[in-house]
Amino acid sequence: DTGVSQDPRHKITKRGQNVTFRCDPISEHNRLYWYRQTLGQGPEFLTYFQNEAQLEKSRLLSDRFSAERPKGSFSTLEIQRTEQGDSAMYLCASSLGNPGQGARGQPQHFGDGTRLSIL
Amino acid sequence: GDSVTQMEGPVTLSEEAFLTINCTYTATGYPSLFWYVQYPGEGLQLLLKATKADDKGSNKGFEATYRKETTSFHLEKGSVQVSDSAVYFCALSKTSYDKVIFGPGTSLSVIP
């Protein structure tokens, strides 16, 4: 079990630039989640994939944000035209679950996150 | 909407002291409840969970009981250690795909 891997660990960029983060979930996990965590707060849900299908997006995910999971394995989260308010830790999590299993599926495993700093 | 509230920190305790971190939730239906822990410099880890009323989750000496009548899931440990210093997040999940809603976190420092 190699765990959930996120790359890069840290990203510093100037306001207005585009950034892309990558998440590699645990290999057999079909569910993948993105969360955002700002300093002193708990993580907030951004979006969710079941295999390659993106099934929910939070209202926090503005049109500058896009997430993909093209082959149902790794996922990318892109932020276009970054703003100061985008500075946060971006967390990826994965789990194994089946449709109709309800909220009783396997627990989510989190990566260490990508810390984004906007200058 | 659904939400989680937990006691504000930081909490500072001496080693071997008793720990309680209060957590209450607002949600319709019957959510699953969780405690996650984030040690310094590390990612989030699931500490314990309970999926129905009156269930008790336990792990590493920590316990929490799902109380539907008071919508609470308080975290307790009888004797804390320095290694328990971390941020603790209470959380719930109720959707068919386990989207997790987190509380703001409570920072715990245990001093020798």
Side-chain angles (χ1 to χ4, degrees):
Chain A
D1 182 358
T2 57
V4 178
S5 176
Q6 292 189 244
D7 183 70
R9 290 294 306 274
H10 304 275
K11 179 70 176 179
I12 301 173
T13 192
K14 294 181 178 179
R15 182 169 54 91
Q17 297 296 304
N18 299 343
V19 295
T20 300
F21 312 139
R22 176 179 171 122
C23 171
D24 287 272
I26 293 172
S27 58
E28 64 269 24
H29 284 183
N30 56 349
R31 296 178 172 180
L32 188 146
Y33 313 80
W34 285 98
Y35 294 84
R36 182 174 71 184
Q37 184 177 19
T38 53
L39 199 62
Q41 299 297 317
E44 296 173 292
F45 171 79
L46 291 179
T47 190
Y48 156 73
F49 290 85
Q50 176 90 22
N51 300 311
E52 66 276 8
Q54 188 175 17
L55 298 184
E56 182 171 341
K57 295 192 292 185
S58 161
R59 58 180 171 77
L60 293 175
L61 215 66
S62 76
D63 56 5
R64 296 185 298 107
F65 288 69
S66 62
E68 295 182 343
R69 195 183 182 196
K71 297 183 180 179
S73 57
F74 74 91
S75 176
T76 58
L77 178 67
E78 180 183 16
I79 308 174
Q80 296 183 328
R81 306 179 303 281
T82 52
E83 301 174 355
Q84 293 283 354
D86 297 332
S87 295
M89 177 75 85
Y90 290 85
L91 299 171
C92 177
S94 70
S95 70
L96 181 64
N98 297 316
Q101 194 169 11
R104 305 294 187 260
Q106 296 299 310
Q108 294 181 25
H109 297 255
F110 282 80
D112 289 342
T114 294
R115 182 169 297 283
L116 174 64
S117 297
I118 307 298
L119 301 178
Chain B
D2 301 333
S3 64
V4 176
T5 303
Q6 56 184 110
M7 64 187 286
E8 292 187 16
V11 174
T12 302
L13 295 174
S14 297
E15 204 165 23
E16 299 183 0
F18 184 86
L19 168 72
T20 299
I21 300 179
N22 291 335
C23 169
T24 57
Y25 68 90
T26 300
T28 57
Y30 299 90
S32 293
L33 301 176
F34 309 88
W35 278 99
Y36 281 83
V37 59
Q38 191 169 35
Y39 297 103
E42 298 184 15
L44 276 168
Q45 301 174 28
L46 179 65
L47 181 60
L48 53 85
K49 72 174 186 177
T51 58
K52 61 183 187 294
D54 300 324
D55 266 3
K56 177 185 285 188
S58 61
N59 186 25
K60 299 182 181 179
F62 291 88
E63 293 183 340
T65 301
Y66 189 144
R67 300 291 188 198
K68 185 157 181 65
E69 64 275 13
T70 55
T71 63
S72 65
F73 193 55
H74 305 320
L75 182 68
E76 296 182 336
K77 186 175 185 181
S79 176
V80 293
Q81 306 301 311
V82 172
S83 57
D84 294 326
S85 297
V87 181
Y88 292 82
F89 295 92
C90 186
L92 69 83
S93 176
K94 53 175 281 192
T95 64
S96 61
Y97 54 83
D98 301 327
K99 174 177 75 175
V100 180
I101 297 170
F102 290 86
T106 301
S107 176
L108 171 66
S109 294
V110 180
I111 54 177

